Amino acid sequence: MRSDPVLVTGAAGFIGHAVAHRLLERGERVIGIDIVNDYYDVSLKEARLATFDGQAGFSFHRIDIADADAVAALVRDHGVVRIVHLAAQAGVRYSLENPFAYQRSNLQGHLSLLEASRHAPGFEHLVYASSSSVYGDKPMGGAGFSEDEPAMKPVSLYAATKRSCELMSESYAKLYRYSQTGLRFFTVYGPWGRPDMAIFGFTQKILAGESIEVYGEGKMARDFTYIDDIVDGVIGALDHPPENGGHRVLNIGDSHPVGLMEMISTLESKLGIVADKVMRPMQPGDVTATYADISKLTALTGYQPKVMLDAGIGNFVKWYREYYGR
């Protein structure tokens, strides 16, 4: 295996933590960076980082990705030529309350990584997190959301920043000719997940005996994708950079959208508790359905999701009970 390290931003985050572990498992050296902010429970982020204790191939730096000088120095000093950029300010609803957090982390932070990459000698590949939210509230027909669609009508600031990052990367690829891949993540869940995501939040409330708020009157659908499958796709994309310094965007999801009420029913079954459900209208910035056409990623890497929702939610509930002692 190669001796040069892979830089993983957002290493204390849900997906970054999982990607870093997979890279370590296959013998890579990994440099993780994260600001470890308080958008959600800091102790969960610290617990994720604690899972790297004793890992000889892992080093961690508490850095704000919007600090361009710090990011550039780290890339330069460690001879980084491959980056998996997963750090960002997440959340659609939170963007309505704290818009400038998205400007700093998502836009300024992405620009920091672009600049550090273009100045790194022999740089090979920047893989970065985009989002299915860039498609906007697209009606779901018989086919999944395709990367060839224009994706120019975001319905949240979060989505707008993610689409902006794609356009920034496109311009840098044309100007400086180094390979970049944007991954449009569909709804990710699993052990070590984010508390602001539906499956995690519903589990917390159901076990606490609280009612859950079901937005969109329960009529929404999501392409729920298990974390291990997501990691397969991220690593596969990293290992297959575009030729001749190009830029591309790829969907990464399960390709089997599930209705919100079906997800809740599955969660109730795994918890052994029927939830008290309060129906709410759609929230500003939400979309009705997401559905990934994954044919491009599959053709490139052989990506094929393996974990179905029933098993995935079962794994999450098992982890949750163990982690929180319930």
Side-chain angles (χ1 to χ4, degrees), residues 277-312:
K277 296 174 276 290
V278 179
M279 297 300 177
R280 301 291 191 201
M282 287 276 287
Q283 287 275 88
D286 273 346
V287 298
T288 306
T290 61
Y291 178 11
D293 175 350
I294 59 172
S295 57
K296 288 187 177 182
L297 182 60
T298 298
L300 178 71
T301 69
Y303 173 76
Q304 198 62 247
K306 303 177 184 68
V307 182
M308 296 296 100
L309 188 72
D310 184 78

Short mmCIF file of all heavy atoms in Angstrom, two decimals, residues 277-312:
data_model
loop_
_atom_site.label_atom_id
_atom_site.label_comp_id
_atom_site.label_asym_id
_atom_site.label_seq_id
_atom_site.Cartn_x
_atom_site.Cartn_y
_atom_site.Cartn_z
N LYS A 277 -47.18 9.64 16.91
CA LYS A 277 -46.82 10.42 15.73
C LYS A 277 -47.69 11.67 15.61
O LYS A 277 -48.92 11.58 15.66
CB LYS A 277 -46.92 9.57 14.46
CG LYS A 277 -45.94 8.40 14.45
CD LYS A 277 -46.13 7.48 13.28
CE LYS A 277 -47.20 6.43 13.54
NZ LYS A 277 -46.83 5.42 14.53
N VAL A 278 -47.05 12.82 15.43
CA VAL A 278 -47.75 14.09 15.22
C VAL A 278 -47.46 14.53 13.79
O VAL A 278 -46.30 14.80 13.44
CB VAL A 278 -47.28 15.17 16.22
CG1 VAL A 278 -48.00 16.48 15.96
CG2 VAL A 278 -47.49 14.70 17.66
N MET A 279 -48.48 14.59 12.97
CA MET A 279 -48.30 14.94 11.57
C MET A 279 -48.14 16.45 11.39
O MET A 279 -48.90 17.24 11.96
CB MET A 279 -49.49 14.44 10.74
CG MET A 279 -49.64 12.93 10.76
SD MET A 279 -48.18 12.09 10.11
CE MET A 279 -48.63 10.37 10.34
N ARG A 280 -47.14 16.82 10.61
CA ARG A 280 -46.83 18.23 10.36
C ARG A 280 -46.75 18.47 8.85
O ARG A 280 -46.42 17.54 8.09
CB ARG A 280 -45.50 18.62 10.99
CG ARG A 280 -45.42 18.43 12.50
CD ARG A 280 -46.31 19.41 13.23
NE ARG A 280 -46.02 19.39 14.66
CZ ARG A 280 -46.87 19.81 15.58
NH1 ARG A 280 -48.07 20.28 15.21
NH2 ARG A 280 -46.54 19.77 16.86
N PRO A 281 -46.96 19.70 8.41
CA PRO A 281 -46.78 20.01 6.99
C PRO A 281 -45.29 20.04 6.63
O PRO A 281 -44.42 19.99 7.50
CB PRO A 281 -47.41 21.40 6.84
CG PRO A 281 -47.30 22.00 8.21
CD PRO A 281 -47.47 20.86 9.17
N MET A 282 -45.01 20.12 5.34
CA MET A 282 -43.63 20.22 4.87
C MET A 282 -42.94 21.43 5.50
O MET A 282 -43.53 22.50 5.63
CB MET A 282 -43.59 20.35 3.35
CG MET A 282 -43.94 19.08 2.60
SD MET A 282 -42.54 17.97 2.41
CE MET A 282 -41.58 18.82 1.18
N GLN A 283 -41.68 21.25 5.86
CA GLN A 283 -40.85 22.33 6.37
C GLN A 283 -40.22 23.10 5.21
O GLN A 283 -39.90 22.49 4.17
CB GLN A 283 -39.73 21.78 7.25
CG GLN A 283 -40.20 21.30 8.60
CD GLN A 283 -40.26 22.43 9.60
OE1 GLN A 283 -41.27 23.11 9.72
NE2 GLN A 283 -39.19 22.62 10.32
N PRO A 284 -40.00 24.41 5.35
CA PRO A 284 -39.28 25.14 4.30
C PRO A 284 -37.92 24.51 4.03
O PRO A 284 -37.19 24.17 4.97
CB PRO A 284 -39.13 26.56 4.89
CG PRO A 284 -40.25 26.67 5.88
CD PRO A 284 -40.42 25.30 6.46
N GLY A 285 -37.59 24.35 2.76
CA GLY A 285 -36.30 23.78 2.38
C GLY A 285 -36.32 22.28 2.17
O GLY A 285 -35.40 21.73 1.56
N ASP A 286 -37.37 21.60 2.67
CA ASP A 286 -37.46 20.15 2.47
C ASP A 286 -37.91 19.84 1.05
O ASP A 286 -38.54 20.66 0.38
CB ASP A 286 -38.45 19.53 3.45
CG ASP A 286 -37.81 19.16 4.78
OD1 ASP A 286 -36.57 19.14 4.85
OD2 ASP A 286 -38.56 18.90 5.74
N VAL A 287 -37.62 18.62 0.60
CA VAL A 287 -38.08 18.15 -0.70
C VAL A 287 -38.95 16.92 -0.49
O VAL A 287 -38.83 16.21 0.51
CB VAL A 287 -36.92 17.84 -1.66
CG1 VAL A 287 -36.10 19.09 -1.94
CG2 VAL A 287 -36.02 16.74 -1.11
N THR A 288 -39.82 16.66 -1.45
CA THR A 288 -40.79 15.58 -1.31
C THR A 288 -40.14 14.20 -1.35
O THR A 288 -40.46 13.32 -0.55
CB THR A 288 -41.85 15.67 -2.43
OG1 THR A 288 -42.41 16.98 -2.43
CG2 THR A 288 -42.94 14.64 -2.23
N ALA A 289 -39.21 14.01 -2.29
CA ALA A 289 -38.62 12.68 -2.45
C ALA A 289 -37.21 12.79 -3.01
O ALA A 289 -36.86 13.76 -3.69
CB ALA A 289 -39.48 11.83 -3.40
N THR A 290 -36.39 11.80 -2.68
CA THR A 290 -35.06 11.67 -3.29
C THR A 290 -34.90 10.24 -3.80
O THR A 290 -35.39 9.29 -3.19
CB THR A 290 -33.93 11.98 -2.30
OG1 THR A 290 -33.97 11.05 -1.20
CG2 THR A 290 -34.05 13.40 -1.76
N TYR A 291 -34.20 10.10 -4.92
CA TYR A 291 -34.09 8.80 -5.58
C TYR A 291 -32.87 8.84 -6.48
O TYR A 291 -32.85 9.55 -7.49
CB TYR A 291 -35.37 8.53 -6.37
CG TYR A 291 -35.43 7.25 -7.17
CD1 TYR A 291 -34.49 6.23 -7.03
CD2 TYR A 291 -36.46 7.06 -8.07
CE1 TYR A 291 -34.58 5.07 -7.76
CE2 TYR A 291 -36.57 5.89 -8.82
CZ TYR A 291 -35.62 4.90 -8.66
OH TYR A 291 -35.70 3.74 -9.39
N ALA A 292 -31.84 8.06 -6.13
CA ALA A 292 -30.56 8.13 -6.84
C ALA A 292 -30.50 7.18 -8.03
O ALA A 292 -30.74 5.98 -7.90
CB ALA A 292 -29.42 7.80 -5.89
N ASP A 293 -30.15 7.71 -9.18
CA ASP A 293 -29.70 6.90 -10.31
C ASP A 293 -28.20 6.69 -10.09
O ASP A 293 -27.42 7.64 -10.20
CB ASP A 293 -29.96 7.62 -11.62
CG ASP A 293 -29.41 6.89 -12.84
OD1 ASP A 293 -28.66 5.90 -12.67
OD2 ASP A 293 -29.71 7.31 -13.98
N ILE A 294 -27.80 5.48 -9.74
CA ILE A 294 -26.40 5.21 -9.39
C ILE A 294 -25.63 4.52 -10.51
O ILE A 294 -24.53 4.00 -10.29
CB ILE A 294 -26.31 4.37 -8.10
CG1 ILE A 294 -27.04 3.03 -8.28
CG2 ILE A 294 -26.85 5.15 -6.91
CD1 ILE A 294 -26.83 2.06 -7.12
N SER A 295 -26.17 4.55 -11.72
CA SER A 295 -25.57 3.78 -12.81
C SER A 295 -24.14 4.24 -13.13
O SER A 295 -23.29 3.41 -13.48
CB SER A 295 -26.45 3.87 -14.06
OG SER A 295 -26.66 5.20 -14.47
N LYS A 296 -23.86 5.52 -13.02
CA LYS A 296 -22.51 6.00 -13.36
C LYS A 296 -21.48 5.52 -12.34
O LYS A 296 -20.38 5.08 -12.70
CB LYS A 296 -22.50 7.52 -13.46
CG LYS A 296 -23.21 8.04 -14.70
CD LYS A 296 -23.03 9.54 -14.86
CE LYS A 296 -23.69 10.03 -16.14
NZ LYS A 296 -23.51 11.49 -16.36
N LEU A 297 -21.82 5.61 -11.06
CA LEU A 297 -20.89 5.14 -10.03
C LEU A 297 -20.70 3.63 -10.12
O LEU A 297 -19.59 3.12 -9.96
CB LEU A 297 -21.41 5.53 -8.64
CG LEU A 297 -20.52 5.15 -7.45
CD1 LEU A 297 -19.15 5.80 -7.55
CD2 LEU A 297 -21.19 5.53 -6.13
N THR A 298 -21.78 2.91 -10.41
CA THR A 298 -21.69 1.46 -10.56
C THR A 298 -20.79 1.08 -11.73
O THR A 298 -19.94 0.19 -11.61
CB THR A 298 -23.10 0.86 -10.74
OG1 THR A 298 -23.89 1.13 -9.59
CG2 THR A 298 -23.02 -0.64 -10.96
N ALA A 299 -20.95 1.76 -12.86
CA ALA A 299 -20.12 1.46 -14.03
C ALA A 299 -18.65 1.76 -13.76
O ALA A 299 -17.76 1.04 -14.24
CB ALA A 299 -20.62 2.27 -15.23
N LEU A 300 -18.39 2.78 -12.99
CA LEU A 300 -17.01 3.19 -12.71
C LEU A 300 -16.33 2.27 -11.71
O LEU A 300 -15.16 1.89 -11.87
CB LEU A 300 -16.98 4.63 -12.18
CG LEU A 300 -15.61 5.19 -11.80
CD1 LEU A 300 -14.77 5.43 -13.04
CD2 LEU A 300 -15.77 6.48 -11.00
N THR A 301 -17.05 1.90 -10.64
CA THR A 301 -16.41 1.23 -9.51
C THR A 301 -17.00 -0.14 -9.17
O THR A 301 -16.44 -0.84 -8.31
CB THR A 301 -16.53 2.10 -8.24
OG1 THR A 301 -17.91 2.14 -7.82
CG2 THR A 301 -16.04 3.51 -8.51
N GLY A 302 -18.13 -0.50 -9.77
CA GLY A 302 -18.82 -1.72 -9.37
C GLY A 302 -19.68 -1.52 -8.14
O GLY A 302 -20.19 -2.50 -7.56
N TYR A 303 -19.88 -0.29 -7.74
CA TYR A 303 -20.67 0.03 -6.54
C TYR A 303 -22.05 -0.60 -6.60
O TYR A 303 -22.76 -0.49 -7.60
CB TYR A 303 -20.82 1.55 -6.43
CG TYR A 303 -21.76 2.04 -5.34
CD1 TYR A 303 -21.36 2.03 -4.01
CD2 TYR A 303 -23.03 2.51 -5.66
CE1 TYR A 303 -22.21 2.49 -3.01
CE2 TYR A 303 -23.88 2.97 -4.67
CZ TYR A 303 -23.47 2.96 -3.35
OH TYR A 303 -24.32 3.41 -2.37
N GLN A 304 -22.41 -1.28 -5.51
CA GLN A 304 -23.73 -1.90 -5.42
C GLN A 304 -24.13 -1.97 -3.95
O GLN A 304 -23.54 -2.73 -3.17
CB GLN A 304 -23.70 -3.32 -6.01
CG GLN A 304 -25.08 -3.86 -6.36
CD GLN A 304 -25.79 -3.03 -7.41
OE1 GLN A 304 -26.79 -2.39 -7.11
NE2 GLN A 304 -25.26 -3.02 -8.62
N PRO A 305 -25.11 -1.17 -3.54
CA PRO A 305 -25.54 -1.22 -2.14
C PRO A 305 -25.95 -2.62 -1.72
O PRO A 305 -26.61 -3.34 -2.49
CB PRO A 305 -26.73 -0.25 -2.11
CG PRO A 305 -26.50 0.66 -3.27
CD PRO A 305 -25.86 -0.18 -4.33
N LYS A 306 -25.57 -3.00 -0.51
CA LYS A 306 -25.81 -4.37 -0.04
C LYS A 306 -26.74 -4.43 1.17
O LYS A 306 -27.37 -5.46 1.41
CB LYS A 306 -24.48 -5.02 0.34
CG LYS A 306 -23.45 -5.06 -0.79
CD LYS A 306 -22.14 -5.67 -0.29
CE LYS A 306 -21.05 -5.63 -1.36
NZ LYS A 306 -20.61 -4.25 -1.64
N VAL A 307 -26.81 -3.37 1.96
CA VAL A 307 -27.55 -3.41 3.23
C VAL A 307 -28.93 -2.79 3.05
O VAL A 307 -29.05 -1.59 2.81
CB VAL A 307 -26.77 -2.69 4.35
CG1 VAL A 307 -27.53 -2.78 5.67
CG2 VAL A 307 -25.36 -3.27 4.49
N MET A 308 -29.95 -3.61 3.17
CA MET A 308 -31.32 -3.13 3.05
C MET A 308 -31.77 -2.45 4.34
O MET A 308 -31.17 -2.62 5.41
CB MET A 308 -32.25 -4.28 2.69
CG MET A 308 -31.95 -4.91 1.33
SD MET A 308 -32.20 -3.77 -0.07
CE MET A 308 -30.50 -3.26 -0.42
N LEU A 309 -32.86 -1.70 4.25
CA LEU A 309 -33.30 -0.85 5.35
C LEU A 309 -33.56 -1.64 6.63
O LEU A 309 -33.18 -1.20 7.73
CB LEU A 309 -34.55 -0.07 4.95
CG LEU A 309 -34.99 1.01 5.95
CD1 LEU A 309 -34.03 2.20 5.92
CD2 LEU A 309 -36.41 1.48 5.66
N ASP A 310 -34.20 -2.80 6.53
CA ASP A 310 -34.53 -3.57 7.73
C ASP A 310 -33.27 -3.93 8.51
O ASP A 310 -33.20 -3.74 9.73
CB ASP A 310 -35.29 -4.84 7.33
CG ASP A 310 -35.75 -5.65 8.52
OD1 ASP A 310 -36.75 -5.26 9.15
OD2 ASP A 310 -35.09 -6.65 8.85
N ALA A 311 -32.25 -4.44 7.81
CA ALA A 311 -31.00 -4.79 8.47
C ALA A 311 -30.26 -3.56 8.95
O ALA A 311 -29.69 -3.55 10.05
CB ALA A 311 -30.12 -5.60 7.53
N GLY A 312 -30.27 -2.51 8.14
CA GLY A 312 -29.54 -1.29 8.50
C GLY A 312 -30.11 -0.63 9.74
O GLY A 312 -29.35 -0.19 10.63
#
